[in-house]
Amino acid sequence: MAVIETDICVIGAGSGGLSVAAGASQMGAKVVLLEGHKMGGDCLNYGCVPSKALLAAGHKAHETSEAAFGVAGHAPAPDYAAAKDHVQAVIDEIAPVDSQERFEGFGVHVIREFGRFISDSEVQAGDHVIKARRFVIATGSRPFVPPIPGLDTVPHHTNETIFDLRERPDHLIIIGGGPIGMEMAQAHRRLGSKVTVLEGAKAMGKDDPEAAALVLENLRAEGIEIVEGALASQISGTEGAITVETKDGASYSGSHLLVAVGRAVNVDKLDLEKAGVEYERGGITVDAGLRSTNKRVYAVGDVAGDLQFTHVAGYHAGVIIRPMLFGLPAKARTDHIPWATYTSPELAQVGLTEAEAKDEHGDGVFIARAEFEHNDRGIATGQTKGFVKVMVVKGKPVGATIVGPQAGELIGIWSLAIANKLKMSAVANMVAPYPTLGEINKRAASAYFTPKLFDSPLVKRVVRIVQTFGRP
């Protein structure tokens, strides 16, 4: 058994683990990186990257079918297998950035084995024992497969297998109406499949209701059947003929089944008890600095609980680098973390929703709003559905919701403002090129000042005095 002594041992080569390994090694720390499966983790191989690539294929098919601007549309002939070739090509192009060879080039010692703790300061990975001053658990999460009767005997997909499917589903049934379910529903519908989404509670229930309603309206208009309050109670059938029964007695049949009801954190193989690291179902117990109950051990990304997004894992990596390498204090925060669902229209959020802001701040909240139907670029390109609304308290944004074209791109400015505690005037003073969709953020910021300027008797009185008695 080979013993390796190092400064930092990172367990998991997903977004968070790779960010820690790259940053620490390039700044002079000795780093060992353990990965027993695929470099790049879930995001590259099963999540963000392939899903957006498949959505792009679906968007192309949908765009071809629509007549607009004097150009006739025509019925597309989507090639599902070719669309999956596109997905794989995208993964292959990005993969070298996350490759073992690249990280070894940084000086990282990469071991392609799963790691498990054997003491509070040692991890075993294959034939290696790694002794480290600090450990970073970045093992991510996997699809949660609920214990629905019959599911264990019926062929079904999760996000880890759906991208390997080469034959287009005739009728895809999706259990779960969250972001993954809705993105896959629209992608498959646009590529020619019939799609039924079964949601046990409310579809897109974690999002702003007004924004979610606009997305759901558009999905239904494209022919996607979305059934809310449909809690799956029994699943039966064989490949190509699957039936899902719900607790209300309804029955839905299709050719394929995708389960997209949430995530389960990957902690079961780590033997955390041997390291004195406490954890719960939702993740490892960490303090504000992402340190576990073992002071040597940090956790980042999905396994640290809370928001499960690739960009959060990367952000966590930046937080823990400060104390690990420089001995400086650092705390993670969530108020400035944005997220997006990449349906058409897109839906993006940062900070508090309208309901959350009103619950927390009461009458102290001002809702600044702008509509895409008044955005000149949106009008020119036929993208007029949607809105921006910003929750403002004492002149500063505490949250923003955007639903509409490129919402995932547009939300960034509000994340910037919240992260740096900027006032609404900072966005209102920005000059955006004309015509751009980005102007809508400036319009929303300006809307905060409109009643203060245009509806104020005092302002009008001052203007009259200046115009009457001021210098010409």
Side-chain angles (χ1 to χ4, degrees):
M1 189 75 67
V3 177
I4 301 172
E5 295 189 9
T6 190
D7 296 322
I8 300 170
C9 176
V10 180
I11 308 173
S15 175
L18 292 177
S19 296
V20 171
S25 63
Q26 291 180 92
M27 285 188 278
K30 292 188 294 182
V31 180
V32 173
L33 174 63
L34 310 179
E35 177 53 64
H37 193 35
K38 293 185 177 183
M39 297 289 288
D42 186 86
C43 179
L44 172 63
N45 298 290
Y46 312 115
C48 319
V49 171
S51 63
K52 285 14 166 211
L54 193 66
L55 278 166
H59 176 74
K60 180 63 69 175
H62 182 73
E63 192 176 53
T64 301
S65 69
E66 288 192 316
F69 317 130
V71 179
H74 62 272
D79 184 330
Y80 189 76
K84 289 298 182 69
D85 289 340
H86 164 66
V87 170
Q88 189 58 52
V90 171
I91 294 172
D92 292 343
E93 184 168 345
I94 296 174
V97 177
D98 295 344
S99 67
Q100 178 175 339
E101 293 75 15
R102 180 168 184 258
F103 280 78
E104 288 175 338
F106 293 147
V108 178
H109 184 171
V110 181
I111 299 175
R112 300 302 294 273
E113 299 280 356
F114 289 106
R116 61 181 183 86
F117 284 92
I118 56 176
S119 75
D120 64 354
S121 61
E122 296 172 303
V123 163
Q124 182 176 342
D127 295 331
H128 301 86
V129 171
I130 299 94
K131 293 183 177 182
R133 288 175 52 82
R134 298 285 184 268
F135 293 89
V136 178
I137 301 174
T139 48
S141 64
R142 62 186 183 278
F144 171 65
V145 180
I148 304 171
L151 182 58
D152 57 338
T153 63
V154 173
H156 63 275
H157 291 280
T158 66
N159 72 290
E160 290 187 345
T161 62
I162 190 70
F163 299 108
D164 292 330
L165 185 64
R166 302 288 297 175
E167 184 177 345
R168 182 179 64 204
D170 290 329
H171 184 176
L172 179 63
I173 298 177
I174 301 175
I175 299 178
I180 295 174
M182 289 309 179
E183 288 181 357
M184 289 299 93
Q186 189 168 50
H188 281 83
R189 178 61 187 147
R190 289 179 165 187
L191 290 172
S193 298
K194 182 178 180 181
V195 178
T196 297
V197 178
L198 305 177
E199 167 55 46
K202 189 167 183 59
M204 304 187 74
K206 294 183 179 180
D207 291 296
D208 175 86
E210 182 185 13
L214 197 153
V215 174
L216 296 175
E217 177 186 6
N218 199 67
L219 296 181
R220 288 186 169 112
E222 291 187 16
I224 299 170
E225 181 183 19
I226 302 171
V227 187
E228 298 177 302
L231 193 64
S233 61
Q234 180 72 41
I235 298 176
S236 59
T238 58
E239 187 170 353
I242 297 170
T243 298
V244 179
E245 297 175 26
T246 58
K247 284 197 172 181
D248 60 3
S251 178
Y252 303 88
S253 296
S255 60
H256 294 73
L257 176 64
L258 171 64
V259 179
V261 296
R263 311 284 298 175
V265 295
N266 293 323
V267 296
D268 44 306
K269 295 180 180 180
L270 292 170
D271 287 347
L272 294 175
E273 295 83 359
K274 294 180 180 178
V277 174
E278 296 180 5
Y279 64 97
E280 299 176 346
R281 179 180 175 183
I284 292 172
T285 302
V286 295
D287 62 16
L290 301 172
R291 181 175 283 185
S292 76
T293 49
N294 177 341
K295 67 179 183 179
R296 293 176 178 270
V297 180
Y298 293 82
V300 300
D302 290 6
V303 77
D306 207 14
L307 300 175
Q308 296 183 330
F309 303 110
T310 297
H311 49 283
V312 172
Y315 164 66
H316 281 174
V319 170
I320 68 170
I321 283 288
R322 289 171 57 89
M324 287 198 307
L325 298 189
F326 303 106
L328 298 173
K331 293 183 179 180
R333 47 189 286 214
T334 60
D335 61 323
H336 66 311
I337 301 294
W339 63 90
T341 300
Y342 296 93
T343 48
S344 179
E346 294 182 7
L347 193 161
Q349 177 72 42
V350 64
L352 302 178
T353 63
E354 180 178 357
E356 291 168 343
K358 288 180 177 178
D359 286 344
E360 187 170 328
H361 298 283
D363 293 337
V365 179
F366 181 93
I367 309 299
R369 185 177 179 117
E371 310 287 335
F372 277 96
E373 66 181 357
H374 301 307
N375 176 271
D376 290 358
R377 182 62 178 272
I379 294 170
T381 58
Q383 298 172 299
T384 55
K385 287 185 180 180
F387 58 82
V388 175
K389 60 180 174 182
V390 185
M391 283 51 75
V392 188
V393 176
K394 296 180 180 179
K396 294 181 179 180
V398 296
T401 301
I402 305 179
V403 60
Q406 297 186 34
E409 305 288 343
L410 296 172
I411 200 68
I413 196 167
W414 298 110
S415 175
L416 172 71
I418 294 172
N420 293 283
K421 304 186 186 314
L422 301 180
K423 293 183 178 181
M424 291 295 283
S425 58
V427 180
N429 290 337
M430 172 191 72
V431 178
Y434 175 87
T436 57
L437 293 174
E439 285 184 291
I440 196 168
N441 282 326
K442 179 179 173 69
R443 183 181 286 267
S446 299
Y448 171 71
F449 296 101
T450 296
K452 300 177 186 299
L453 294 174
F454 300 151
D455 300 333
S456 169
L458 177 60
V459 170
K460 292 180 179 179
R461 193 177 309 122
V462 170
V463 169
R464 290 313 317 151
I465 290 173
V466 171
Q467 296 307 307
T468 302
F469 299 106
R471 286 183 173 183

